[in-house]
Amino acid sequence: DTGVSQDPRHKITKRGQNVTFRCDPISEHNRLYWYRQTLGQGPEFLTYFQNEAQLEKSRLLSDRFSAERPKGSFSTLEIQRTEQGDSAMYLCASSLQGAGGYTFGSGTRLTVV
Amino acid sequence: GESVGLHLPTLSVQEGDNSIINCAYSNSASDYFIWYKQESGKGPQFIIDIRSNMDKRQGQRVTVLLNKTVKHLSLQIAATQPGDSAVYFCAEAGADNQGGKLIFGQGTELSVKP
């Protein structure tokens, strides 16, 4: 296992388009987290899954954002009708319940033009 | 609300000197803390962690100190090297039975002068 993988690394999209990002966590980790990070700031929590269940969503996650983890393994984050304010680094992390081991992926850099 | 913050946004040190990066947290119930290093264009990289039942933990060239009385966390880097230049974040983990999500502070940018 090579850690947490995110795809794509970079995405440039026009305002109003939909985008989807993928995260593959460490295989034995049952928790998966999505964060958003803007320049000069720390990552901000968006949502997390325990196995396939989405158990918490931040109020930062507007109705245009949706995340899934259908089989409790990889996860996708979709942003509909993108806005310039969505431009950020989207980070995925995974951990093992009760044991921590939080590991982050390299992120997906989204630029909305 | 709960927050994790850093005292110094930037720190410049000479190569070979020791670095100290500080962090304050507000949730006295937090029991697990992590320091991350983030280089430009990359995700946060785990450096060292500490649980609230400890006040000091050492790794290779790094030491984390936890003062629960004043809710303060620090990261000490010995013999700082140019490769240590990055932004450093402390993070506070929420209760594991509530998902254990990490709450990050703003970060401190460490610049190492050769």
Side-chain angles (χ1 to χ4, degrees):
Chain A
D1 195 338
T2 57
V4 178
S5 299
Q6 291 190 245
D7 184 71
R9 290 295 310 276
H10 304 276
K11 177 72 176 178
I12 300 174
T13 190
K14 292 183 178 179
R15 189 174 51 188
Q17 298 294 304
N18 300 341
V19 294
T20 300
F21 310 140
R22 176 178 170 128
C23 172
D24 287 88
I26 291 175
S27 57
E28 58 265 30
H29 285 181
N30 64 336
R31 286 180 172 166
L32 186 149
Y33 309 82
W34 284 100
Y35 286 81
R36 180 172 67 189
Q37 185 178 27
T38 53
L39 195 63
Q41 301 295 317
E44 296 175 295
F45 171 78
L46 292 178
T47 188
Y48 95 95
F49 292 83
Q50 183 161 301
N51 301 312
E52 67 276 7
Q54 187 174 16
L55 297 185
E56 186 175 349
K57 292 191 291 186
S58 164
R59 58 181 179 274
L60 294 175
L61 212 65
S62 76
D63 292 344
R64 297 184 296 104
F65 288 68
S66 62
E68 296 183 342
R69 195 184 183 198
K71 299 181 180 178
S73 56
F74 74 92
S75 175
T76 59
L77 177 68
E78 181 184 17
I79 308 174
Q80 296 182 325
R81 303 180 304 281
T82 52
E83 302 173 355
Q84 287 188 321
D86 297 330
S87 295
M89 173 79 88
Y90 289 84
L91 293 162
C92 175
S94 67
S95 74
L96 183 62
Q97 182 181 3
Y102 300 87
T103 303
F104 280 82
S106 295
T108 294
R109 167 75 64 190
L110 173 66
T111 302
V112 181
V113 297
Chain B
E2 298 166 0
S3 67
V4 178
L6 296 172
H7 293 309
L8 298 174
T10 59
L11 178 64
S12 183
V13 300
Q14 205 67 39
E15 181 179 359
D17 287 351
N18 297 336
S19 303
I20 300 176
I21 301 172
N22 297 302
C23 174
Y25 64 94
S26 59
N27 185 0
S28 57
S30 295
D31 64 359
Y32 182 53
F33 304 87
I34 308 172
W35 279 100
Y36 285 95
K37 173 187 180 182
Q38 188 173 27
E39 296 173 289
S40 181
K42 298 184 179 179
Q45 177 188 356
F46 174 92
I47 301 173
I48 193 167
D49 59 359
I50 189 168
R51 293 202 175 271
S52 60
N53 60 353
M54 303 174 68
D55 53 20
K56 181 179 180 179
R57 189 155 190 241
Q58 288 184 294
Q60 187 176 14
R61 285 202 305 117
V62 293
T63 301
V64 55
L65 299 177
L66 175 63
N67 185 330
K68 295 182 288 295
T69 302
V70 295
K71 292 183 285 187
H72 184 267
L73 197 67
S74 68
L75 176 70
Q76 299 178 359
I77 305 174
T80 314
Q81 303 169 359
D84 295 327
S85 295
V87 178
Y88 289 81
F89 294 96
C90 66
E92 171 184 10
D96 187 78
N97 63 3
Q98 294 177 14
K101 71 186 183 194
L102 297 177
I103 301 171
F104 286 82
Q106 185 179 11
T108 292
E109 183 172 9
L110 176 64
S111 175
V112 182
K113 296 177 289 186

